[in-house]
Amino acid sequence: MNASGQHTTARPGPRSGPVRLADVAAAAQVSPALASRVLNGDPAARAAPATKARIVEAAARLGYVPNVAAKSLRVSRTGLIGLVVHDLSSPIYLELMRGAREEAARHSYFLVLGDVDELLDDDDAFRIFISGRRVDGIIMQGGHSELDLRIGDIAQALPTVVVNAPTEVDHEGATQVFPDEPAATRLLTQHLIELGHRRIGLVSGPRQSMTNRLREEGIVSALDAAGLELREDDRVHGEWSADGGRAGVDELVRRWGPGTDRPSALIAGNSLIGIGMLGAVGRHGMVVPRDLSVAAVHDTWINEHLAPSLTAVSLPLHEVGTVAVKTLLAGTNGDRLTLSDPPPVLHRRASTGARPAG
Amino acid sequence: MNASGQHTTARPGPRSGPVRLADVAAAAQVSPALASRVLNGDPAARAAPATKARIVEAAARLGYVPNVAAKSLRVSRTGLIGLVVHDLSSPIYLELMRGAREEAARHSYFLVLGDVDELLDDDDAFRIFISGRRVDGIIMQGGHSELDLRIGDIAQALPTVVVNAPTEVDHEGATQVFPDEPAATRLLTQHLIELGHRRIGLVSGPRQSMTNRLREEGIVSALDAAGLELREDDRVHGEWSADGGRAGVDELVRRWGPGTDRPSALIAGNSLIGIGMLGAVGRHGMVVPRDLSVAAVHDTWINEHLAPSLTAVSLPLHEVGTVAVKTLLAGTNGDRLTLSDPPPVLHRRASTGARPAG
DNA sequence: CTGAAAGCGCTTACAG
DNA sequence: CTGAAAGCGCTTACAG
């Protein structure tokens, strides 16, 4: 159109690939630099409103979506958080994952799934995940003895938050976030005491695990306040699973023998154990709660649908997930956060009742 | 040390940041190009074994981990697969997620979690996830009406595999992977027929959902082969949840009224519904399986621990996950794969029994 | 076969 | 305030 007749009409044909920032800039007749600043809301960019509008409009019209890899390379941020879980088949931590995912989304972050065992087995995967700047930070479930040993190393390479299961020792730089476990089991125990139970047993996970110890601590303190105790022969430790719950009840029944005095109520160390216990108690010919009350840690949707429905105390797992992400993104470091908000809540259901008169 | 005294001793101080390919190359005294080729196992790189060893050794010694962002930018591959799920609180698809994660890991891929509703609500998130080259491909659960409508668009932007819930129509370019639903419910129904049941009811998810239709198809065909039918008034459709199961039983009981003839067995459209049904049946004063047999689709670990334990047919969800990833990475396109390996397996448990004599 | 060079698409000191 | 230029760390045609 102009004198030379070239520059205005001879615009390069539409590029085949995805729209780049340069395309937007060209369309809006500004430099890529300015386009970048405006699109990213840089306050220093005080272009004329009309110019800004032109850039935004061009981006929208062309369907511009920033190339994440290029951005990452430039700013050394991936927009990803690694979530390392023990076992993707346990529903207990779904709520935690959910909380973490939601909070991440609020910050325009996405979650990348890692598996503890795989990461430990595959050195390459471990290195890529941890040191390959594949993620900006990592949230991992504590309580896995082998992985716990490496938390220090991991935290050195990457912002790290350990959730849920506190570890023995503090780890240089790793933040820990977990629910107030003793408060939860205290509540559960008090409920049973109020129902008249004087001897209360426990089926839980590995005895030495921090999680078990904290949960026992709450039980013992509540019993203690009532002048009662958690007897050595009334506790069984095993797996954190329904099978563990079943095995625990089997073991207790074996110990009791016929005619012996026995606890009138049992606490399940977690929700899976509780489910297993309920089934096992029935199989031994006892009726819950008439013969034995059962109450569990973790309030999941299943509890309400079990027969009998399972009394349980809720743990703020959703919050653990959100707080873990917040902490990670805030760059807080090395703290140990015990979540007390929301506090554990007792959900009374059909599996707990008054101590039998006998 | 040499004449000039500079070049040998004045090696640049160790760079502060992470080790780059250039550092490895320098340490091994080769070009970055060769280092890249050797480290990536490029068969064209036929350097002397000693040279190769030097490169590998240098990489190991320096703890070199490739920068994922730089690699991505260069090769236009992220090494990530997006997994878009409906509801991170449903345990049913954990097995699918697990299968997908494992298969992804085998190919050195990681999974990024997306949420259907969030992606639909947040246009930015949707665009970044789908078009930002944030992931190399996407696996999404079908059966979400709103998202199903956009499958075509998504598949156009990205290799897409729809799992589990087949959609109404085929989508240009999207592969679908799902279990053999009719085979599963056929097995379940045949089991009940063999137990002597002649009238069998159903509590399932939304009537028009493809998943429900396929599951009904199997039931009807098995009944048909035995000269029986699925009566209109013996089926209830609602949510795919335990609450849905409970509501379904409530509704059926209401319909039956006192003294009426009624089905002697019910099929649960999925595992959550089955759990809800078991609880509800008990609450209505009926004993399973004496008064009513219950059998469900999906064999999860919970079934065994319910009271009574729940008869169920397994679906190859783990395989759906692995096949989805394989398909995605193989670049296969536009097929509809019905998985028949492993075939559905019936797990007989205590919730199904012979038809009462009455 | 190997190396020098270009370039993936961004952002951001730096100069104007 | 804006633009030209450099550079994030890789890989890969291209030339030798």
Side-chain angles (χ1 to χ4, degrees), chain A residues 16-349:
Chain A
S16 54
V19 181
R20 299 155 308 161
L21 182 64
D23 301 324
V24 175
Q29 305 179 68
V30 296
S31 70
L34 184 57
S36 170
R37 289 193 256 250
V38 168
L39 257 20
N40 287 315
D42 182 341
R46 277 192 266 160
T51 312
K52 285 194 180 181
R54 218 168 55 237
I55 295 171
V56 171
E57 181 272 330
R61 181 164 45 82
L62 299 177
Y64 170 66
V65 183
N67 180 312
V68 187
K71 192 169 201 154
S72 287
L73 178 56
R74 186 55 234 245
V75 304
S76 305
R77 250 185 15 103
T78 62
L80 298 174
I81 294 173
L83 182 68
V84 179
V85 296
H86 287 182
D87 184 0
L88 212 43
S89 65
S90 163
I92 292 185
Y93 299 104
L94 274 180
E95 197 54 33
L96 192 157
M97 285 179 62
R98 219 186 177 190
R101 207 201 51 70
E102 286 172 12
E103 185 64 25
R106 260 173 235 128
H107 299 267
S108 303
Y109 267 76
F110 290 100
L111 249 39
V112 180
L113 244 38
D115 179 82
V116 171
D117 293 315
E118 218 160 69
L119 252 26
L120 287 172
D121 285 353
D122 183 343
D123 227 53
D124 273 354
F126 187 87
R127 277 169 35 227
I128 291 176
F129 204 78
I130 305 298
S131 327
R133 279 132 294 170
R134 177 67 36 269
V135 295
D136 295 336
I138 220 166
I139 296 176
M140 48 185 276
Q141 279 178 38
H144 186 290
S145 49
E146 208 183 331
L147 187 63
D148 284 3
L149 294 175
R150 302 183 69 171
I151 292 180
D153 296 342
I154 296 173
Q156 207 160 321
L158 221 52
T160 303
V161 174
V162 180
V163 289
N164 216 46
T167 54
E168 290 302 320
V169 292
D170 281 334
H171 291 281
E172 212 62 41
T175 302
Q176 304 202 28
V177 178
F178 46 87
D180 191 341
E181 304 279 5
T185 46
R186 215 177 295 129
L187 210 56
L188 216 48
T189 309
Q190 283 162 353
H191 166 64
L192 292 172
I193 293 173
E194 278 163 21
L195 286 171
H197 298 280
R198 313 289 297 166
R199 188 169 158 192
I200 296 172
L202 169 70
V203 177
S204 185
R207 176 158 203 161
Q208 290 309 321
S209 70
M210 275 297 276
T211 300
N212 173 66
R213 277 150 60 186
L214 289 168
R215 290 185 186 162
E216 281 201 18
E217 184 187 318
I219 296 170
V220 168
S221 83
L223 287 173
D224 197 53
L228 303 171
E229 56 163 351
L230 177 58
R231 292 170 47 156
E232 187 56 40
D233 51 336
D234 284 346
R235 46 185 136 177
V236 185
H237 299 281
E239 280 181 23
W240 291 115
S241 67
D243 280 336
R246 183 205 330 235
V249 168
D250 290 350
E251 167 65 19
L252 284 175
V253 168
R254 199 172 304 127
R255 284 185 200 166
W256 294 338
T260 337
D261 196 33
R262 57 164 182 80
S264 58
L266 297 179
I267 289 177
N270 80 2
S271 134
L272 303 182
I273 289 177
I275 292 173
M277 286 172 68
L278 232 42
V281 167
R283 236 165 280 124
H284 283 286
M286 290 181 279
V287 175
V288 174
R290 197 195 62 197
D291 303 320
L292 196 60
S293 283
V294 176
V297 174
H298 287 141
D299 193 53
T300 73
W301 61 267
I302 303 177
N303 294 344
E304 204 178 321
H305 294 279
L306 295 171
S309 60
L310 181 59
T311 295
V313 64
S314 65
L315 248 33
L317 292 181
H318 194 273
E319 267 66 29
V320 170
T322 58
V323 169
V325 169
K326 276 184 196 153
T327 306
L328 201 59
L329 297 182
T332 321
N333 237 355
D335 290 336
R336 231 179 144 99
L337 302 175
T338 302
L339 258 50
S340 47
D341 181 36
V345 175
L346 180 77
H347 298 265
R348 302 163 186 244
R349 300 213 179 81

